Amino acid sequence: MSLHRVMNQVISPWMIEDGPDSDIVMSTRIRLARNIKHYRFPHLMDEEEALTVVDELNEKLDGKAFEQKVPLLTLRMEELQPIHRRVLMEKHVISPYLAQHATYGACMLSDDERISMMVNEEDHIRIQCLFPGLQLEDSLEMANKVDDWIEQEIDYAFDTQLGYLTSCLTNVGTGLRASVMMHLPGLVLTKQLNRIVPAINQLGFVVRGIYGEGSEALGNIFQVSNQMTLGKSEEETISDLKNVVKQIISQERIAREAMKKVSPISLEDRVYRSLGTLMNSRIIDSKEAAKCLSDIRLGMDLSFITNISTHVFNELMILTQPGILQQYAGAPLDTKERDIRRASLIRERLLLEIHKEDEDK
């Protein structure tokens, strides 16, 4: 694998797979925060020390493929163009913080992009494992295997009482951040989400936007994740989060069915107006595109729309992001140019899908 392939393979292979409850849960992510013994935390390191951390990890892990079949490609942030960093962020491979602030950081990435490791983000190492649908246990199992593999070569900063030591106190303990990406148009349109979120917070979980902390919930997509890492085992955290997510899934399905029962024509009209907008717009910004894509995905899940695959929603939510649009264009684009290219890409992709479905009948 190479940087060229990562940039041109915009849709990560795992994204086109189906998973449990995939009508509502788009993806599951497990992240483990780890630090290397005897090094200062990244925010205290100078350039030389930060580069030494990257070199040490690359030297000790390069060529030692995880489970003998998953080699990791090392991408150094200082060698990447800003557009490349943005594309990695929009694909959820790296965080906004690593993309924007960690000049001497790196990303180590598996071929299918299911496994990634951020280096010198807020911590020396942040292991990430991504799965489609609701697969918390499988994601945790994979992350723990990667963690054990790294620990064979690296001495972690660990305290017998506190657990794994991290730069942020909220990550001390297990260092585990589990998150589930959910499409929740039913709860948003019925105005129930604002009532549910405080209850979720009281249980020790948080609801954020599509790129995590401080980001916006574009297209009715939200991340639900744990806040506590100290005082709970990994298994307890996963079990509690799964219970919360299952309740949200249940409430979302009830909300969708209620809308369909009470005002089916109005709901169908909303879906097809959004489809019409996407099929005919010549210029569209990211917020309007995300809103319309959310509507047609809801229409697919409720069987209003049957000639478009649900994978198209996931694909277009990624393809229409500003960085990826510019990567495809091969040049910087201003806001208006991006909006024009976004509209064109959506039209072409939807027409291609509709024609494909018609030919298959």
Side-chain angles (χ1 to χ4, degrees), residues 107-125:
C107 171
M108 301 181 76
L109 185 63
S110 69
D111 196 48
D112 62 359
E113 302 180 11
R114 189 185 298 271
I115 299 169
S116 64
M117 187 171 75
M118 294 186 289
V119 182
N120 290 341
E121 198 232 27
E122 290 185 11
D123 295 290
H124 297 143
I125 301 169

Side-chain angles (χ1 to χ4, degrees), residues 34-48:
R34 301 288 187 260
N35 285 282
I36 306 173
K37 190 185 292 186
H38 305 313
Y39 282 105
R40 293 182 293 176
F41 291 132
H43 67 280
L44 298 173
M45 293 191 304
D46 57 25
E47 175 185 337
E48 182 179 358

Side-chain angles (χ1 to χ4, degrees), residues 6-67:
V6 172
M7 289 298 113
N8 285 278
Q9 182 181 266
V10 176
I11 307 302
S12 302
W14 68 268
M15 290 182 182
I16 59 176
E17 299 175 12
D18 287 320
D21 298 302
S22 58
D23 57 323
I24 294 170
V25 178
M26 298 177 64
S27 64
T28 299
R29 185 197 70 178
I30 294 293
R31 191 206 71 199
L32 299 175
R34 301 288 187 260
N35 285 282
I36 306 173
K37 190 185 292 186
H38 305 313
Y39 282 105
R40 293 182 293 176
F41 291 132
H43 67 280
L44 298 173
M45 293 191 304
D46 57 25
E47 175 185 337
E48 182 179 358
E49 194 171 7
L51 291 173
T52 300
V53 168
V54 177
D55 289 340
E56 180 175 339
L57 285 169
N58 191 50
E59 177 185 345
K60 290 186 175 181
L61 300 180
D62 184 43
K64 299 177 179 67
F66 171 60
E67 293 192 334

Side-chain angles (χ1 to χ4, degrees), residues 156-252:
Y156 285 148
F158 183 83
D159 182 89
T160 53
Q161 290 185 315
L162 295 175
Y164 293 101
L165 303 180
T166 58
S167 64
C168 180
L169 289 175
T170 58
N171 291 319
V172 170
T174 62
L176 168 69
R177 188 75 68 188
S179 63
V180 178
M181 191 90 76
M182 308 184 74
H183 182 225
L184 303 174
L187 292 175
V188 172
L189 293 174
T190 58
K191 304 187 187 304
Q192 296 182 66
L193 191 61
N194 290 337
R195 173 180 59 81
I196 293 173
V197 168
I200 294 172
N201 293 341
Q202 288 180 1
L203 294 171
F205 299 93
V206 64
V207 180
R208 296 188 171 114
I210 189 169
Y211 293 113
E213 188 172 358
S215 65
E216 191 175 358
L218 292 173
N220 299 318
I221 297 173
F222 299 86
Q223 277 191 32
V224 183
S225 62
N226 65 300
Q227 287 183 297
M228 297 173 57
T229 60
L230 187 63
K232 272 188 177 184
S233 69
E234 293 176 342
E235 291 73 20
E236 287 173 324
T237 298
I238 292 301
S239 177
D240 290 346
L241 176 58
K242 188 173 183 178
N243 288 336
V244 167
V245 169
K246 284 288 189 181
Q247 291 181 49
I248 297 172
I249 291 171
S250 176
Q251 292 299 311
E252 172 66 20

